[in-house]
Amino acid sequence: MIARTRRRLRLRKRAVALRRGFGRIGRGTAAPASPPSAPAVPKPPSTGGGLQELVRVAPRESAVRDYRVNLVLSSMAADSTFGGVQTAIDLFRAVAGEGQRRRIISVAPLDADVMTGFPDFRLVDAADDSDDPSQLVSVAGPGAATIPIGPRDVFIATFWPTAAFALDVRRWQAATFGAAPERFAYLIQDFEPGFYPRSAQHLLARSTYDAPESTIAIFNTSLLQGGFHDAGIQFPAEFTFEPRLSPALRDVLARPAGERSRTIVVYGRPSKPRNAFPLIVDGLRAWRAADPEAPRWTIVSAGERHVDIDLGGGLTMRSLGKLSMSAYADLLRTSAVGISLMISPHPSYPPLEMAYLGLLVLTNRFGDKDLSSWHTNITSLRSITEAGLAADLTETCRRFVADATVGDHGRLLRADYLDVGPQFPFADEVASLLRMT
Amino acid sequence: MIARTRRRLRLRKRAVALRRGFGRIGRGTAAPASPPSAPAVPKPPSTGGGLQELVRVAPRESAVRDYRVNLVLSSMAADSTFGGVQTAIDLFRAVAGEGQRRRIISVAPLDADVMTGFPDFRLVDAADDSDDPSQLVSVAGPGAATIPIGPRDVFIATFWPTAAFALDVRRWQAATFGAAPERFAYLIQDFEPGFYPRSAQHLLARSTYDAPESTIAIFNTSLLQGGFHDAGIQFPAEFTFEPRLSPALRDVLARPAGERSRTIVVYGRPSKPRNAFPLIVDGLRAWRAADPEAPRWTIVSAGERHVDIDLGGGLTMRSLGKLSMSAYADLLRTSAVGISLMISPHPSYPPLEMAYLGLLVLTNRFGDKDLSSWHTNITSLRSITEAGLAADLTETCRRFVADATVGDHGRLLRADYLDVGPQFPFADEVASLLRMT
């Protein structure tokens, strides 16, 4: 939870939770307003059997009346400040510079050492109505079921439950202050209804795209933006940015590389359906059964820890779990072939990283996505089936055996992957759209 | 497994499994064909970590050269011969009458007493190439990893893995016999890719709609057909049929009804995302928190057994599990309000049954689906959120309290719900399309 010793003592003004028209995050019916003088007694979450995804925290009136930019994050654990979460923090810093009031709201409990990444922020308790200009606050736990919100608090949402929260807060601001900020910014890094089967979660995730006029959509890749347009979802204000080589991987490239062995690296995340782990397993088994050369290869899986997988005929896929960036880079630079699937219009980073570090990579098409136009080392599967994967893997392995340096001579076809300037050149425009009322 | 004692001994002709171009269900790469004289040695399924859904059984050449209609079922357990499976069997019997060669292929192991429902069929072992005109065969278990297929075996597929199987078998027939039957029939009872998040399963389910010229699509409801057309999926040969009151429920209506109490019946199936169980729980909690009348109601859940759910303030939703048709009918005839959600274009049966048996029913819209035009007792939620459910539930409960007979006076707006004639008047047309080569 929150390290209380680390925050300055200050006069606490426990604002009254105005629950009228808000209920449990605006998703319950209106509960009677508390008497104005009583402190808020937030409901315990009590979601056994109910939806686990929603942000169960209610706004209460803040004395802070100034414009303030809020980033809402679902997760801030140390090991999640890679990838999507780190991108969100980078975007937030670009939109809300040091001179501004800004607040990071974490829906998840905070790691003890999370503040090391935010020396310019102060850890604040959700029960306090702090006016510190740069705050980090967790709304996890029963003690934090309300959070102070002023009339000019604006939001940058990330994962869909945080967008649902931001939309609810805007409704609450309109009811409480007579007006709400005109827009919120929504960092969209995947088509998130697709994370679920048809279900309540699917519908609720989908409904976060239903306020186009209020939404500043910031798409992680124009490919993903295209996927939204194909699905008939469009926003008047849209921005995009493209993937870039991680600086950590760039640093590794300065070190001398080892020799490449007959190793296949699978991006293996059984808990993420979009990475199609079972199909990779079946594809490897079909390849093992059909290709007499298969026993001469080593197969490892990196991404998530899982049990080692028997591929038949004495061949095993060994799980390496989640690697450090350095170990990941070393693995890629000494391996031959990569397999990384992503059942989404988003390109995802591993195929690009694998290709750039010299592996021959198999990945999948999705709609207009075809990463073979991004790097000559990437092959898009002709058929996303176990037979298709097995056939393309046989061919790819043969290419490596014929010339072990073929991947090292691959060509990047998208120069912007190596850009080092500002990743969000549109940040000022987003800031001024957020500021409008 | 199969009750071997119940089948007649006959000369067994173990046909050679021709695996060329088929691999593991056509999804592996081509394995070398077995020498023509050796019996097939099917691979064990070995799907740990792989896709669990696919039908892992390979065809082998049958001596039966006649036209034969095959129904492929994913499940035949006694308690699944309700609903979808029973509909499939009824359709099969309408398409393939007694004078024809016909075979039911069950992918799941068979219940010991399943034959009581099929006195006119003979239980056959998949290892036998039986020429019995009416067969029931299970392809579950390692001993049954091949099944005899002739050049004029045609298929009625049900759940998507059986359609993938039927499509693979047709490819195998083309390779083995030089030609395959022109079409297979596909009983479509939901948009099944929607059962999964974006994943390999989603893609594979979706790919079973990718052979429109070969498909005779039989939609359970024109609403579902409309959902497919909205999604851009259309077949040159399409048939539809509509839901009907179950004869078992019709019989119950002849018995005297009890008095209706303040009871809410939830169609509660936590394992089926499309029934949105968590949203119902949150909606009931929001209703309990907001409506002072709530404690005067009893809430029960029927459908699947689950733990009783605390709704707050001392109110509990009690799980009744799966009820017999008779107990289900008695419950409906003594209760006041029903809640049954279905995140799909398919109407689903419970809301219709509840409404017909006199409950005031809350359900959801989906695309063009709006069941309030089917029965005056049905209300489509204004908003599919916990707040929306709570608000509509308050109103519905008030309607009952004001007049406990209001549901008994409800009107069915779709006369075809009470039809008793042939449910598949197009069966002969399907049969002649299947027969074409």
Side-chain angles (χ1 to χ4, degrees):
Chain A
M1 295 303 164
I2 295 173
R4 283 177 173 264
T5 52
R6 298 188 64 170
R7 71 182 153 74
R8 285 185 303 198
L9 285 171
R10 62 188 57 209
L11 187 66
R12 293 191 201 167
K13 211 163 39 160
R14 289 188 184 263
V16 173
L18 290 184
R19 300 181 69 83
R20 187 193 301 281
F22 204 85
R24 288 154 70 206
I25 331 308
R27 297 189 173 278
T29 44
S34 313
S37 59
V41 184
K43 276 178 211 154
S46 175
T47 52
L51 288 160
Q52 302 303 306
E53 293 81 4
L54 295 179
V55 179
R56 299 268 172 200
V57 59
R60 65 177 197 271
E61 205 170 329
S62 167
V64 176
R65 302 273 141 175
D66 296 343
Y67 174 75
R68 177 165 57 184
V69 183
N70 295 264
L71 174 68
V72 197
L73 291 175
S74 294
S75 159
M76 282 206 61
D79 74 340
S80 65
T81 52
F82 286 108
V85 173
Q86 190 55 55
T87 303
I89 292 167
D90 293 347
L91 172 69
F92 173 67
R93 286 189 179 275
V95 171
E98 271 182 48
Q100 298 203 333
R101 281 190 189 280
R102 51 191 186 166
R103 178 167 60 176
I104 299 174
I105 301 172
S106 171
V107 174
L110 294 178
D111 255 29
D113 57 353
V114 75
M115 292 312 292
T116 58
F118 300 90
D120 48 340
F121 278 70
R122 182 170 304 282
L123 192 63
V124 160
D125 194 298
D128 292 342
D129 187 16
S130 166
D131 62 354
D132 200 287
S134 292
Q135 310 177 18
L136 177 55
V137 57
S138 167
V139 291
T146 69
I147 186 169
I149 301 282
R152 301 198 66 209
D153 269 309
V154 299
F155 292 88
I156 300 178
T158 53
F159 188 41
W160 71 266
T162 70
F165 173 72
L167 284 161
D168 284 339
V169 169
R170 286 179 66 254
R171 279 188 282 273
W172 177 88
Q173 286 172 310
T176 305
F177 303 116
E182 210 162 293
R183 295 188 182 84
F184 80 108
Y186 194 171
L187 173 61
I188 299 175
Q189 307 208 64
D190 209 325
F191 180 74
E192 293 171 353
F195 291 179
Y196 309 93
R198 280 183 171 174
S199 59
Q201 289 87 337
H202 181 98
L203 285 187
L204 291 170
R206 182 63 182 76
S207 73
T208 64
Y209 308 137
D210 285 345
E213 298 297 331
S214 307
T215 305
I216 305 163
I218 301 162
F219 289 104
N220 186 340
T221 74
S222 44
L223 268 180
L224 181 62
Q225 179 192 38
F228 273 69
H229 294 180
D230 289 347
I233 305 169
Q234 211 144 357
F235 304 92
E238 293 186 353
F239 301 91
T240 67
F241 60 95
E242 303 302 322
R244 288 179 173 192
L245 180 63
S246 152
L249 289 179
R250 191 191 298 266
D251 295 346
V252 166
L253 291 173
R255 303 205 305 260
E259 205 165 313
R260 295 189 187 275
S261 67
R262 292 194 187 191
T263 298
I264 297 170
V265 179
V266 167
Y267 186 56
R269 298 201 299 175
S271 82
K272 305 291 182 214
R274 60 189 181 279
N275 293 127
F277 184 76
L279 179 61
I280 295 177
V281 170
D282 286 341
L284 287 168
R285 285 196 179 123
W287 167 74
R288 168 65 190 88
D291 186 342
E293 291 292 303
R296 301 185 61 187
W297 286 78
T298 299
I299 298 101
V300 297
S301 163
E304 254 174 35
R305 173 68 60 189
H306 57 76
V307 296
D308 292 347
I309 305 274
D310 176 11
L311 300 175
L315 204 64
T316 297
M317 173 163 67
R318 197 158 46 87
S319 169
L320 303 180
K322 192 182 173 82
L323 299 176
S324 71
M325 201 53 115
S326 170
Y328 173 61
D330 287 340
L331 175 67
L332 296 194
R333 298 183 77 201
T334 54
S335 298
V337 171
I339 302 175
S340 182
L341 305 186
M342 178 69 161
I343 314 301
S344 159
H346 190 272
S348 87
Y349 298 94
L352 307 177
E353 292 165 352
M354 289 172 169
Y356 191 73
L357 269 68
L359 280 78
L360 302 177
V361 180
L362 292 176
T363 188
N364 61 289
R365 287 191 181 79
F366 190 99
D368 291 336
K369 176 172 84 170
D370 179 2
L371 298 188
S372 66
S373 66
W374 290 45
H375 199 292
T376 61
N377 282 351
I378 297 180
T379 300
S380 291
L381 293 174
R382 283 167 291 186
S383 159
I384 312 173
T385 59
E386 64 184 54
L389 183 54
D392 287 341
L393 183 56
T394 290
E395 207 169 288
T396 302
C397 290
R398 278 187 197 145
R399 280 180 64 206
F400 175 82
V401 171
D403 173 7
T405 68
V406 61
D408 293 312
H409 298 125
R411 277 186 307 112
L412 179 68
L413 305 172
R414 292 264 308 222
D416 58 353
Y417 187 57
L418 300 180
D419 280 353
V420 289
Q423 189 168 20
F424 311 104
F426 49 79
D428 287 349
E429 206 178 331
V430 170
S432 61
L433 284 168
L434 280 175
R435 212 177 247 285
M436 281 182 187
T437 47
Chain B
M1 298 303 162
I2 296 173
R4 283 177 172 264
T5 52
R6 298 188 66 170
R7 72 183 153 73
R8 284 187 301 196
L9 284 170
R10 61 187 61 209
L11 187 65
R12 291 187 204 170
K13 211 166 34 164
R14 286 184 187 264
V16 172
L18 290 183
R19 301 179 68 83
R20 188 193 301 280
F22 204 88
R24 287 154 70 207
I25 331 311
R27 296 186 176 280
T29 44
S34 313
S37 57
V41 183
K43 277 179 210 152
S46 175
T47 52
L51 288 159
Q52 301 305 305
E53 293 80 3
L54 295 178
V55 178
R56 300 267 172 200
V57 59
R60 66 176 196 273
E61 204 170 328
S62 168
V64 176
R65 303 273 141 175
D66 295 344
Y67 174 74
R68 176 165 58 183
V69 183
N70 295 264
L71 174 69
V72 197
L73 291 174
S74 294
S75 160
M76 282 205 61
D79 74 341
S80 65
T81 51
F82 286 108
V85 173
Q86 190 56 56
T87 303
I89 292 167
D90 293 347
L91 172 69
F92 173 67
R93 286 188 178 276
V95 171
E98 269 182 53
Q100 297 203 331
R101 282 190 189 277
R102 51 191 187 166
R103 178 168 60 174
I104 299 175
I105 301 172
S106 171
V107 174
L110 295 177
D111 255 28
D113 56 352
V114 75
M115 292 312 293
T116 58
F118 300 90
D120 48 341
F121 278 70
R122 182 170 306 279
L123 192 62
V124 161
D125 193 299
D128 293 341
D129 186 16
S130 166
D131 63 354
D132 201 287
S134 293
Q135 310 177 17
L136 177 54
V137 57
S138 167
V139 290
T146 69
I147 186 169
I149 301 282
R152 300 199 66 208
D153 268 308
V154 300
F155 292 87
I156 300 178
T158 53
F159 188 43
W160 72 267
T162 70
F165 173 72
L167 284 162
D168 284 339
V169 169
R170 286 180 66 253
R171 278 188 284 272
W172 177 88
Q173 286 172 311
T176 305
F177 303 116
E182 211 162 294
R183 296 187 182 84
F184 80 108
Y186 194 172
L187 173 60
I188 299 176
Q189 308 207 62
D190 209 325
F191 180 73
E192 293 171 354
F195 291 179
Y196 309 92
R198 279 182 171 175
S199 58
Q201 290 86 337
H202 181 98
L203 286 187
L204 291 170
R206 180 65 182 73
S207 74
T208 63
Y209 308 138
D210 285 345
E213 299 297 331
S214 307
T215 306
I216 305 163
I218 301 161
F219 289 104
N220 186 340
T221 75
S222 45
L223 267 180
L224 181 62
Q225 178 191 38
F228 272 69
H229 293 179
D230 289 347
I233 304 168
Q234 212 144 355
F235 304 91
E238 292 187 353
F239 302 91
T240 68
F241 60 95
E242 303 302 323
R244 290 180 171 188
L245 180 64
S246 151
L249 289 179
R250 190 191 299 266
D251 294 346
V252 167
L253 291 172
R255 304 207 302 259
E259 204 165 314
R260 294 189 187 275
S261 67
R262 292 193 187 192
T263 298
I264 297 170
V265 179
V266 167
Y267 186 57
R269 297 202 300 175
S271 81
K272 304 290 182 214
R274 62 188 180 278
N275 292 127
F277 185 76
L279 178 62
I280 295 178
V281 170
D282 286 341
L284 288 168
R285 286 196 178 121
W287 166 74
R288 169 64 190 88
D291 187 341
E293 290 292 303
R296 302 184 61 187
W297 286 76
T298 299
I299 297 100
V300 296
S301 163
E304 252 174 36
R305 173 67 61 187
H306 56 78
V307 296
D308 292 348
I309 305 275
D310 177 11
L311 301 175
L315 203 65
T316 297
M317 172 162 67
R318 196 158 46 85
S319 169
L320 304 179
K322 191 180 173 84
L323 299 175
S324 71
M325 200 54 116
S326 170
Y328 173 61
D330 288 341
L331 175 67
L332 296 192
R333 298 185 78 201
T334 54
S335 299
V337 172
I339 303 176
S340 182
L341 306 186
M342 179 67 162
I343 313 300
S344 159
H346 190 270
S348 88
Y349 298 93
L352 307 177
E353 292 164 352
M354 290 172 168
Y356 191 75
L357 270 68
L359 280 78
L360 303 178
V361 180
L362 292 177
T363 189
N364 61 287
R365 288 191 180 79
F366 190 100
D368 291 336
K369 176 173 84 171
D370 178 3
L371 298 187
S372 67
S373 66
W374 290 45
H375 198 293
T376 62
N377 283 352
I378 297 180
T379 300
S380 291
L381 293 174
R382 283 167 290 185
S383 160
I384 311 172
T385 59
E386 66 184 53
L389 184 55
D392 287 341
L393 184 56
T394 289
E395 206 170 285
T396 302
C397 290
R398 279 189 196 141
R399 280 180 63 205
F400 174 81
V401 171
D403 173 6
T405 68
V406 61
D408 294 312
H409 298 126
R411 276 186 309 113
L412 178 68
L413 305 173
R414 292 264 310 221
D416 59 352
Y417 188 57
L418 301 180
D419 279 353
V420 289
Q423 189 168 19
F424 311 104
F426 50 78
D428 287 348
E429 206 176 331
V430 170
S432 60
L433 284 169
L434 279 175
R435 211 177 249 282
M436 280 180 188
T437 46

